[in-house]
Amino acid sequence: MGKVVLPLLIILLLTNCKSENSEWKSLIVDNSMEGWHTFQNAESTKGWIVENKTLIFNGISDMESGEGDASLLSDKEYGNFELKFDWKIIPGGNSGFMWGVNEDEKYNYPYQTGPEIQILDPAIYDDPKIALGGEMEINNAAEDLEAHKHFVGALYDLSPPTVLNAAKPASEWNSYHIKIDYKANRGEVILNDVLINSFPLQGPEWDAMLQNSKFSKSESEDSEYLGDARWYDFGKFSKGHICFQDHPGEVSFRNIRIRELDGKRS
């Protein structure tokens, strides 16, 4: 009997211990927009296309059109996960990746709830005047030249990257590997195989970062455009939609893959 049980036990262990590769899922299905929608519009993907399995924002951002945020959200909500994708942005362009986004109608924008990992042409920090999006984006860079809380790989306005030379120039592909794990209370950003940022996701350290950011200024007149919800629920959802930002400048994403961390793992 022992000769039968031992091999069976090994088979069961191998079956339950899935390899990391088998858990990664592509988020571009059949070279289409399946599984995606724009913020608060389940029927729309306006401004976004897929070509050769590459997701592209080539529309006009809300900042330019004033017609409502066109950030692209996953239909599915995610909690703890790892995400890998390549990104490429045009000169002067700006975008971002968010998680924990809530679509309640009281929110005017996805970034009222979802923290953002910055995607940016790094040359903007050499010459802020090249930033697309007008005076607001120029000022965002010009006021951040020392702190780097808006630089490539930053947790926007909260945690700057610790490495500033890992990004490739505009019009070249970069690779992100982002880990969000509330169980471990840790987020990580790996850019082109270099760990450039790590940060807490909740607790006293998170609260301290929040206090030193714009997200603590809900009572400011500058926050009135957000509506009554302001920043009150920023970063509070440990499960929500993932999101690619509507922002000035064409941006492309490819090889978008996700691995959920909430299930059983060996």
Side-chain angles (χ1 to χ4, degrees), residues 244-259:
F244 292 111
Q245 191 177 36
D246 150 15
H247 232 51
E250 182 174 310
V251 60
S252 303
F253 304 94
R254 69 182 185 185
N255 299 324
I256 309 170
R257 294 161 291 156
I258 197 164
R259 182 168 82 101

Side-chain angles (χ1 to χ4, degrees), residues 141-235:
E143 295 170 1
D144 187 54
L145 295 180
E146 293 185 9
H148 286 90
K149 292 201 296 182
H150 304 163
F151 194 65
V152 180
L155 175 61
Y156 190 84
D157 215 50
L158 295 165
S159 174
T162 56
V163 179
L164 301 178
N165 61 355
K168 297 177 183 178
S171 303
E172 294 188 24
W173 286 105
N174 289 272
S175 296
Y176 265 163
H177 181 179
I178 296 170
K179 301 180 183 181
I180 301 298
D181 191 343
Y182 284 88
K183 291 180 292 185
N185 192 24
R186 183 176 175 84
E188 291 184 352
V189 181
I190 299 169
L191 172 61
N192 299 328
D193 297 322
V194 179
L195 177 63
I196 64 168
N197 208 342
S198 61
F199 43 84
L201 300 169
Q202 54 196 358
E205 290 180 88
W206 170 267
D207 293 341
M209 291 194 308
L210 205 65
Q211 188 60 38
N212 291 316
S213 75
K214 73 175 187 178
F215 304 113
S216 67
K217 298 176 173 60
S218 286
E219 306 308 319
S220 167
E221 291 183 2
D222 291 338
S223 299
E224 289 181 353
Y225 76 101
L226 298 170
D228 293 340
R230 304 293 178 97
W231 300 114
Y232 296 126
D233 295 331
F234 176 79

Side-chain angles (χ1 to χ4, degrees), residues 130-147:
I130 71 171
L132 302 178
E135 185 176 353
M136 179 183 296
E137 291 305 312
I138 291 172
N139 290 340
N140 276 340
E143 295 170 1
D144 187 54
L145 295 180
E146 293 185 9

